[in-house]
Amino acid sequence: MSHSHVAGRLTAAGLLVTALVAAAPTASAAAPRDAEGAAYGLTVTGPLDVPPVPAVSSRSGDVTKHLLREDHTDLVDASALDVSAAADRARSAVARVAVPSAKLRADAVSAECRGGRGSASLARASLAGRSLDVSPPPNTTVPVDVPGLGRGSLTLNKQQRRADGRLDVTAMELRLPVPGDAATIRIASATCGRAAAPPKAPAPTPVKRDLPVTG
Amino acid sequence: MATRIVRDPRRAGRSAGGLVPAATAALLLLGGCGTTPAGTASGGTAPTGTATGGQTAPGAPAPARIPQATTFGTVSGAPRDASSDGATDGLVVHPERAVPVFDRPGGRPVATLPTEQLGAPTWVPVVESSGGWRRVLLPSRPNGSSGWIPGDGLRAAHTPYTVRVDLAHRRLTLFRSAKETGRWTVAIGGAKTPTPPGRTFLMATLAPAKRTPSPIVLPLGTHSATLDTFGGGPGTVALHGWPDASVFGKAVTHGCVRVPEDALRALSRVPLGSLVFITG
């Protein structure tokens, strides 16, 4: 599996959105003003950048998006993705996941974050023929051998605190040893919690410098 | 010597005799314009090294066709700032290392946002968020350029300040937490070199070598729409002082906003990245 081949297939497939519906935010409940939920279905970083799709975020009421995929790629295949977010919660569910190069499959993968706490669940998930736990503990990591490329890793129920204090929960994070750089596939991710208020911006210090401006 | 390029050739013809002497005088008064950074021509890729405050080693090769998002550069393919009159929650960010700027989250890279602007730390306003991505205003041409940057590796802060320039009434108002803290009558761009309307931000606070006409110059993230270059610079619009109070209330500048001394004193304390709304 070469870079260019995979890139070409990804580009050709283009992660086509066949159905995309966003609901208008509704009135918020009593969520903190600085709380924000966010979720996405799938993203790829590394030599092959695929932005998070579909992606939602909300500081108020529920926002949802649904993405139906019909096309397949060499790298990753997911047929249906549903994400939702509100100020205090987020959820992402992806169906019929397959990463053929890693022999990773799952009927369904989901991540949920609510009130700053996260969970993930897998349905009929397997790696190289071995079944994966339905409710894996946070940050469960298993090695992944990719024939001809080397060893990568699969982290299940990855939970990571952001710098702003919010929690990221990703049901599956697969690092593949693609030549030249690692490709990371993240499937079903949800973020929630109350972000710490940023500090006051500093007063500027004048810089001794001349710039011709339009007087 | 003051040099400039006027976009509209008809204006060039008309203004040749009328504006160049005024421009020369303004530039002389602005401290002789100091050292002109290399690569000030509009369009094309911004220079690396000295133009952005030294965060790139002088002589280092420029990234292939990816311009730096500075006041000297033009960013092609950058998304336009769609809500040019909208307020934000005051979030501003500083990249702790140079970060790529994309046309959409995870999309096509269109520029690199350096850690410094004109020798000062880069602080840009966040005007939209999507997941871990932030859309920020850029200081480059064309006016209204914005771009998406990854939220990782950014230092975030909150500014309570906004500045509004009302071109119709030739008035500048400073707000802190949406409350007016000062209002001044100012001078704005003349009919042939108008101050460009839109949402922009305070990009830097400069102390020119010569304190006359202004001891402090506050370049904004916007440029003259009629002057491609001015005095060897890229046509950057700024807020600055002016010693002759008779100009206030008049449309006489080449795009900059000249403000009274007490306004300059107040504005020089406003954090970089704070939004500036210029309305017609």
Side-chain angles (χ1 to χ4, degrees):
Chain A
M1 181 174 63
S2 70
H3 268 185
S4 57
H5 179 57
V6 174
R9 294 294 298 270
L10 264 180
T11 304
L15 290 172
L16 295 178
V17 178
T18 55
L20 184 62
V21 179
T26 56
S28 171
R33 193 174 62 87
D34 48 1
E36 180 180 11
Y40 63 82
L42 181 150
T43 187
V44 180
T45 60
L48 310 166
D49 267 329
V50 177
V53 286
V56 291
S57 63
S58 173
R59 293 186 174 210
S60 54
D62 283 313
V63 179
T64 63
K65 281 187 180 177
H66 311 286
L67 173 61
L68 199 62
R69 297 176 57 213
E70 298 293 339
D71 289 327
H72 303 290
T73 71
D74 278 350
L75 195 60
V76 59
D77 173 10
S79 298
L81 307 93
D82 297 313
V83 294
S84 64
D88 61 343
R89 62 187 182 277
R91 188 171 192 277
S92 174
V94 180
R96 294 183 291 283
V97 174
V99 183
S101 60
K103 297 179 181 173
L104 174 66
R105 296 184 180 282
D107 278 2
V109 173
S110 67
E112 184 163 11
C113 188
R114 182 180 288 266
R117 306 187 72 165
S119 63
S121 63
L122 316 176
R124 295 174 60 84
S126 65
L127 177 66
R130 295 175 59 186
S131 295
L132 298 172
D133 193 349
V134 173
S135 299
N139 302 313
T140 301
T141 302
V142 293
V144 178
D145 288 317
V146 182
L149 291 178
R151 174 159 287 193
S153 64
L154 173 66
T155 303
L156 304 173
N157 190 14
K158 180 167 185 177
Q159 299 199 11
Q160 192 168 28
R161 191 70 62 180
R162 288 189 180 188
D164 67 4
R166 292 190 297 154
L167 179 69
D168 285 334
V169 186
T170 305
M172 286 183 167
E173 180 179 288
L174 177 64
R175 292 179 62 83
L176 289 174
V178 176
D181 194 3
T184 302
I185 304 168
R186 296 182 177 90
I187 302 167
S189 186
T191 300
C192 70
R194 185 173 180 168
K200 284 174 56 178
T205 302
V207 174
K208 291 183 178 177
R209 177 162 181 159
D210 294 292
L211 173 75
V213 295
T214 57
Chain B
M1 176 182 171
T3 58
R4 64 203 184 98
I5 299 171
V6 182
R7 285 176 183 266
D8 184 342
R10 292 169 301 174
R11 288 181 173 147
R14 280 204 307 267
S15 62
L19 288 178
V20 170
T24 307
L27 288 165
L28 289 172
L29 287 169
L30 276 169
C33 304
T35 303
T36 301
T40 52
S42 67
T45 301
T48 57
T50 55
T52 54
Q55 69 278 21
T56 304
R65 291 192 294 274
I66 299 293
Q68 292 213 357
T70 72
T71 193
F72 303 104
T74 295
V75 177
S76 301
R80 294 276 295 170
D81 182 24
S83 303
S84 60
D85 58 352
T88 70
D89 59 3
L91 183 64
V92 293
V93 292
H94 163 65
E96 293 176 328
R97 60 182 189 280
V99 294
V101 181
F102 297 86
D103 61 351
R104 59 186 172 85
R108 186 173 61 89
V110 295
T112 299
L113 184 63
T115 59
E116 292 186 354
Q117 304 285 341
L118 299 169
T122 296
W123 282 99
V124 286
V126 175
V127 295
E128 187 178 358
S129 294
S130 176
W133 293 82
R134 304 284 178 259
R135 185 165 69 87
V136 299
L137 298 187
L138 302 177
S140 310
R141 289 183 185 269
N143 286 346
S145 292
S146 70
W148 291 90
I149 58 177
D152 296 338
L154 299 177
R155 183 178 159 203
H158 175 264
T159 173
Y161 289 96
T162 53
V163 178
R164 290 192 179 272
V165 179
D166 180 344
L167 298 175
H169 296 94
R170 295 164 190 176
R171 192 166 60 202
L172 182 148
T173 309
L174 177 62
F175 295 89
R176 188 178 196 280
S177 300
K179 292 182 180 175
E180 181 179 320
T181 62
R183 180 191 296 189
W184 299 272
T185 299
V186 298
I188 62 169
K192 295 175 181 173
T193 54
T195 302
R199 181 167 66 171
T200 183
F201 62 99
L202 284 170
M203 179 180 56
T205 304
L206 304 182
K210 294 185 179 179
R211 294 176 57 83
T212 303
S214 182
I216 294 289
V217 174
L218 305 170
L220 306 179
T222 192
H223 298 77
S224 168
T226 53
L227 305 173
D228 281 350
T229 68
F230 189 84
T236 308
V237 169
L239 312 178
H240 60 75
W242 199 256
D244 178 4
S246 68
V247 301
F248 301 131
K250 297 177 181 174
V252 294
T253 80
H254 301 94
C256 282
V257 178
R258 301 175 187 169
V259 306
E261 185 179 349
D262 54 340
L264 187 66
R265 197 178 307 120
L267 291 165
S268 66
R269 293 193 288 266
V270 174
L272 301 182
S274 297
L275 286 171
V276 177
F277 298 93
I278 303 174
T279 58

